[in-house]
Amino acid sequence: MKKTVLAIALATSVFALSACNSGDEVVVSTKYGDITKDQFYDEIKDLAGSVLLEQVVLEQVLENKYEVSDKEVEERLNQYKDQFGDSFNDILKQQGLTEEQFKSNIRFTLLQEKAKNDIKISDEEIKKYYEQGKYELHARHILVDDEKTANEVLKKLKNGEDFAKLAKEYSKDTGNAENGGDLGWFTVGNMVPEFNDAAYALKANEISEPVKTEFGYHIIQLLDKREVENYGTLEEKKDEIRQTLIEMKGGINAKIEELLKEADINIKDEDLKNAFSQILGTDTDDDDKEAESKEK
């Protein structure tokens, strides 16, 4: 709570200062000397420049895309006050925050929530998840590295060889291979999407064609299927499912990455050039090293 508010406030002040014409202008004077805007900016940059830059740019991007009203901020503030009661002001003091600073933090949080909820989820996706979620599956699988091996295993299964025996022999999922590839009972969302959809499409005792995921190639056999008790109606589950699907699509982190890419960020300060590298998956230092290696 404290970190986000103060970091953004500090970053805003620092970069506002850096935009001034004269870096020699004195920010503060003591009997031991003066501190200029350039000195102040350099100190802040060394202290936490990239982090602060990321936060202030992100706030700017979010504010350009979404709107949070004062009413929304006040409603969320009152929720916190109701939650913490008489201890609310004491908590603010412990965090070193005024109520106005806390409201700034709330506004930033609400902006992120709006960005997250802006991830598109269709009614068809919700209905599909709901229909799958009515059931739990009991399945087993054999995981191999390549499609050729997967087809080899599948051929042996079609020729009547034992699934559990082949799992012990071929599967690289060591956690389940010794148990014949048995995954136990699971429900929608527990497995990666490709595996999930393939498993839910099977009938009892049916074996899938090779299914490619980030882990390799799976041969899946559905052992059993059972209904989930008191699962609820589609209308009752709709909001919960939407939030689950948003998280499955990467949630707020994926949306932030998308928005920052759209913003076409161009960092002028060479010392801060790697800000956003982790978020956007870029690193100019690594690029430079790769270029140097190719030249050699």
Side-chain angles (χ1 to χ4, degrees):
M1 178 164 63
K2 178 180 179 181
K3 180 179 179 182
T4 303
V5 174
L6 296 185
I8 290 173
L10 182 57
T12 304
S13 301
V14 171
F15 293 110
L17 281 171
S18 70
C20 297
N21 291 328
S22 175
D24 293 331
E25 186 176 336
V26 175
V27 175
V28 62
S29 238
T30 74
K31 66 180 181 180
Y32 305 108
D34 299 331
I35 297 176
T36 66
K37 287 181 179 178
D38 275 350
Q39 289 174 314
F40 183 56
Y41 173 75
D42 288 341
E43 286 293 328
I44 294 298
K45 190 168 63 174
D46 289 341
L47 179 65
S50 293
V51 174
L52 294 175
L53 182 62
E54 288 168 9
Q55 289 182 344
V56 73
V57 170
L58 176 57
E59 185 182 34
Q60 183 186 60
V61 168
L62 291 174
E63 286 181 337
N64 182 66
K65 187 79 174 179
Y66 308 101
E67 183 177 346
V68 173
S69 68
D70 292 341
K71 181 180 178 181
E72 290 174 292
V73 174
E74 288 296 330
E75 286 175 352
R76 183 63 61 88
L77 176 66
N78 288 332
Q79 289 174 14
Y80 280 111
K81 287 183 175 180
D82 291 341
Q83 179 183 348
F84 294 109
D86 295 337
S87 63
F88 177 76
N89 289 329
D90 291 334
I91 292 173
L92 287 187
K93 287 179 181 178
Q94 289 170 11
Q95 296 294 323
L97 295 173
T98 65
E99 188 168 300
E100 285 304 309
Q101 288 171 329
F102 186 53
K103 285 167 69 174
S104 295
N105 193 29
I106 290 173
R107 187 178 299 278
F108 186 65
T109 299
L110 290 172
L111 284 168
Q112 292 182 84
E113 289 177 6
K114 293 199 173 190
K116 178 181 172 182
N117 289 323
D118 196 29
I119 295 174
K120 304 303 181 195
I121 303 294
S122 68
D123 290 339
E124 289 75 18
E125 289 176 288
I126 293 173
K127 186 176 180 181
K128 176 184 173 183
Y129 187 100
Y130 174 78
E131 292 299 330
Q132 291 181 344
K134 288 180 180 180
Y135 301 95
E136 291 179 321
L137 306 183
H138 180 198
R140 57 184 177 179
H141 80 143
I142 299 171
L143 175 62
V144 296
D145 286 318
D146 57 84
E147 189 173 12
K148 181 181 177 181
T149 307
N151 285 322
E152 180 184 326
V153 171
L154 183 60
K155 184 178 179 180
K156 290 187 176 186
L157 288 168
K158 288 181 177 180
N159 288 335
E161 294 196 35
D162 183 66
F163 194 106
K165 182 180 177 182
L166 290 172
K168 291 179 182 180
E169 181 181 350
Y170 283 93
S171 186
K172 67 174 188 174
D173 182 3
T174 55
N176 296 296
E178 288 303 312
N179 195 29
D182 196 330
L183 296 166
W185 288 93
F186 61 89
T187 189
V188 61
N190 290 154
M191 305 296 181
V192 291
E194 301 90 348
F195 187 105
N196 178 87
D197 291 346
Y200 270 94
L202 295 172
K203 297 176 182 177
N205 296 315
E206 186 178 4
I207 295 174
S208 73
E209 294 294 315
V211 178
K212 184 180 180 181
T213 74
E214 61 190 275
F215 302 106
Y217 288 82
H218 308 255
I219 304 295
I220 308 166
Q221 183 180 31
L222 180 63
L223 298 174
D224 201 358
K225 183 176 182 178
R226 66 188 180 194
E227 288 190 29
V228 176
E229 293 183 7
N230 303 316
Y231 185 62
T233 66
L234 176 59
E235 195 59 36
E236 290 170 340
K237 303 284 289 184
K238 195 170 185 178
D239 290 341
E240 176 189 332
I241 291 172
R242 182 183 299 279
Q243 290 303 316
T244 299
L245 289 171
I246 284 173
E247 292 301 330
M248 289 174 67
K249 290 189 176 186
I252 183 61
N253 291 333
K255 190 63 181 180
I256 285 173
E257 181 179 348
E258 175 191 326
L259 292 172
L260 291 176
K261 285 180 178 177
E262 289 177 0
D264 193 22
I265 299 167
N266 182 10
I267 300 171
K268 308 295 185 182
D269 191 317
E270 188 69 15
D271 294 331
L272 297 171
K273 64 181 180 179
N274 280 330
F276 307 102
S277 61
Q278 288 189 334
I279 300 173
L280 300 178
T282 59
D283 193 319
T284 54
D285 283 343
D286 288 345
D287 293 341
D288 291 343
K289 290 175 183 176
E290 184 177 345
E292 289 174 7
S293 177
K294 286 180 180 179
E295 288 176 2
K296 293 177 182 177

